[in-house]
Amino acid sequence: MKRIVIKVGSSTVTHETGLLNLKKVEELAKVISDLSNMGKEIILVSSGAVAAGMGRMNMNEKPESVPEKQALASIGQSELMYIYDKFFSQFGKVVAQMLMTKRVLEVDMLRHNAIATLNQLLAYRAIPIINENDSVATEELVYGDNDTLGATTAELVHADLLLVLSDIDGLYDKNPSLHKDAKLIPIVEKVTSDIEAMAEDAITKVGTGGMITKVQAAKIATEANCDMIICNSKDLRVIYDAVEGKPVGTLFKRRNTHE
Ligand code: ADP
């Protein structure tokens, strides 16, 4: 595996207070820098702008309204990049910000520009850090928590692997937050309607996609010939295991491996 998109959700990069988890962000920078040193091409899709904005504005409660979240994301995005830049710089890496919207993917010219920029950044050995452009789009803030953005990015760059880091070990046959007897599904050969039916929302938080958007992302990635893994971000060494092909979390197999 050479080209890998790593998507981190709010649950990974923020504390329960809503503020940024700096230890996690630093660990992430270290592992990704190390993978880059190993010759891997890594693209990071990261949430966390609202959390960084809250920190900057000394707020300790996430606001409810979308314009407030958009404004905080706008304040926080530069803060988030500053923090990533600081941590990645410690390991000698250059980061590059790319803000995307769904429209970028739908309009040919914008899509081609995004692909060209991403490929050039990877050729420079820089680490692209992608987030939704929250000031003009609300997909992430309202529904998706960047899961589908991760998948479409993987599709754009023909990634070998999309790694979705979450607060849960993978896809379970039912929502493990509600059912104690839920079982982890290690491998999904194909995203069928049965698989889709297992995925539920994240009940603990407002406005993130839970497993629903992750399974949607798996559909996009696997159909674009990219494997996708959902795994738990509590110990980021899991990233090495996933990249080495060891069994972790839930692997959604790319379509062409079984056709
Ligand atoms: P992130 O912020 O990392 O993107 P989310 O909190 O949005 O993660 O999504 C993960 C959550 O989805 C889990 O903590 C769990 O509560 C919920 N969930 C719903 N259905 C399932 C399922 N079938 N398997 C695993 N988790 C599920």
Side-chain angles (χ1 to χ4, degrees):
M1 282 178 197
K2 176 122 171 57
R3 199 166 267 202
I4 300 155
V5 176
I6 298 178
K7 183 258 163 182
V8 287
S10 321
S11 63
T12 299
V13 292
T14 60
H15 288 294
E16 269 171 25
T17 56
L19 296 173
L20 270 188
N21 183 336
L22 294 171
K23 184 165 175 271
K24 222 28 161 205
V25 175
E26 183 169 26
E27 282 171 10
L28 193 62
K30 187 175 179 182
V31 174
I32 291 176
S33 299
D34 197 23
L35 289 175
S36 170
N37 288 350
M38 288 157 69
K40 310 287 182 197
E41 294 175 329
I42 311 287
I43 295 170
L44 177 62
V45 175
S46 175
S47 306
V50 176
M54 283 170 57
R56 198 77 179 80
M57 298 298 282
N58 286 320
M59 289 168 71
N60 43 28
E61 223 165 285
K62 197 172 174 177
E64 289 289 317
S65 83
V66 173
E68 280 174 292
K69 285 184 202 160
Q70 287 182 293
L72 283 176
S74 186
I75 292 165
Q77 181 62 32
S78 57
E79 180 76 4
L80 182 67
M81 283 309 294
Y82 171 72
I83 290 165
Y84 271 127
D85 195 0
K86 220 169 141 122
F87 287 143
F88 274 99
S89 294
Q90 286 178 13
F91 307 110
K93 297 296 163 198
V94 171
V95 295
Q97 170 183 268
M98 279 185 72
L99 298 178
M100 306 272 260
T101 66
K102 240 181 151 183
R103 228 178 109 71
V104 173
L105 309 161
E106 290 161 359
V107 178
D108 274 354
M109 195 186 72
L110 301 182
R111 200 179 63 247
H112 287 137
N113 288 339
I115 293 170
T117 305
L118 279 166
N119 283 324
Q120 188 57 55
L121 287 169
L122 294 174
Y124 283 153
R125 309 293 304 150
I127 313 284
I129 301 183
I130 297 182
N131 198 359
E132 187 184 63
N133 190 347
D134 291 320
S135 52
V136 297
T138 57
E139 289 285 314
E140 180 206 4
L141 294 176
V142 180
Y143 319 102
D145 199 33
N146 279 343
D147 290 318
T148 45
L149 181 59
T152 39
T153 302
E155 184 178 3
L156 286 183
V157 299
H158 302 293
D160 302 300
L161 174 67
L162 168 62
L163 192 55
V164 176
L165 295 167
S166 186
D167 61 349
I168 195 97
D169 289 348
L171 176 71
Y172 285 73
D173 59 352
K174 48 193 163 188
N175 188 348
S177 316
L178 301 175
H179 307 276
K180 282 215 161 62
D181 61 337
K183 286 189 191 65
L184 180 74
I185 303 185
I187 294 181
V188 174
E189 295 285 345
K190 189 176 180 208
V191 182
T192 58
S193 51
D194 284 350
I195 294 290
E196 285 174 307
M198 293 170 188
E200 286 175 25
D201 214 340
I203 41 157
T204 48
K205 287 179 283 161
V206 190
T208 62
M211 267 302 140
I212 299 173
T213 49
K214 289 180 185 51
V215 169
Q216 276 170 8
K219 228 173 159 177
I220 297 168
T222 54
E223 278 170 19
N225 199 23
C226 174
D227 288 330
M228 175 173 135
I229 293 174
I230 302 175
C231 60
N232 201 320
S233 62
K234 67 174 187 271
D235 181 351
L236 290 178
R237 281 174 298 188
V238 75
I239 299 177
Y240 290 107
D241 292 342
V243 170
E244 286 165 20
K246 292 184 185 156
V248 288
T250 301
L251 165 66
F252 296 81
K253 284 192 173 179
R254 62 179 81 183
R255 287 296 299 275
N256 80 339
T257 54
H258 53 90
E259 273 174 0

